[in-house]
């Protein structure tokens, strides 16, 4: 079953689903808070127009909004997350929610001053790097979720630097180190 067809469970400290065998797959957890803040602060350093791919629990979205920005576009593909994102965005005039897979809607997107890519079970992850030139302006700051517990990451983009963030993860299936390496790339 594809991720967008899974029924998510929303608890105060995590969002997850359980497969047919009873295995719990955490989509996002509150222990990621310091990572989300560091990610938002990095991509928003210059203000401007911000693209967030993946809404999750809305933690990074809240931190993005705490910065001085012009616009905040959120792309989300999971039907339950879209409902949460729309409810979160109510009353925020600079927020636009785009429904669908980021790859499917990429041609309708603009160019941005900051981009944060943090998806779950994205079938188009391998296309992210090749599409960046269509989404970035000169000087755009980009970061993404990094499952690696060192300065390697899934994209291996030349010139990427890393900021260390100390974390204490709750038990999960996707990250179990105490140091998170936040990728930082400016285009």
């Amino acid at each position: 079953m594809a991720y967008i067809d899974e029924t998510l469970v929303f608890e105060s400290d995590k969002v997850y689903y359980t497969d047919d065998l009873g295995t719990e797959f955490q989509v996002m957890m509150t222990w990621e808070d310091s990572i989300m803040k560091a990610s938002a602060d990095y991509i928003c350093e210059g203000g401007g127009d911000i693209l967030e791919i993946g809404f999750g629990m809305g933690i990074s979205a809240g931190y993005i909004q705490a910065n001085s920005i012009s616009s905040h576009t959120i792309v989300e593909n999971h039907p339950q997350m879209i409902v949460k994102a729309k409810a979160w965005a109510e009353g925020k005039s600079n927020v636009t929610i785009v429904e669908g897979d980021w790859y499917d809607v990429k041609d309708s997107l603009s160019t941005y001053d900051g981009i944060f890519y943090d998806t779950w079970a994205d079938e188009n992850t391998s296309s992210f790097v090749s599409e960046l030139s269509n989404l970035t302006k000169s000087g755009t700051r980009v970061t993404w979720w990094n499952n690696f517990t060192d300065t390697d990451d899934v994209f291996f983009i030349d010139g990427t630097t890393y900021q260390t963030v100390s974390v204490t993860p709750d038990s999960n299936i996707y990250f179990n180190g105490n140091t998170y390496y936040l990728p930082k790339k400016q285009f």
Side-chain angles (χ1 to χ4, degrees), residues 56-130:
M57 296 177 77
I59 299 171
S60 55
Y63 286 124
I64 289 168
Q65 284 293 300
N67 282 275
S68 180
I69 61 170
S70 301
S71 71
H72 182 185
T73 302
I74 301 170
V75 179
E76 178 57 57
N77 69 340
H78 194 284
Q80 289 175 272
M81 292 286 199
I82 291 168
V83 171
K84 297 279 187 185
K86 285 180 173 181
W88 175 88
E90 284 182 23
K92 295 174 178 75
S93 61
N94 68 341
V95 176
T96 302
I97 305 297
V98 178
E99 298 180 34
D101 183 285
W102 74 270
Y103 190 80
D104 294 339
V105 302
K106 68 185 180 341
D107 294 334
S108 69
L109 299 173
S110 184
T111 56
Y112 300 90
D113 300 292
I115 299 173
F116 181 32
Y117 174 86
D118 184 5
T119 62
W120 177 260
D122 182 2
E123 296 173 1
N124 296 300
T125 298
S126 62
S127 299
F128 180 66
V129 173
S130 64

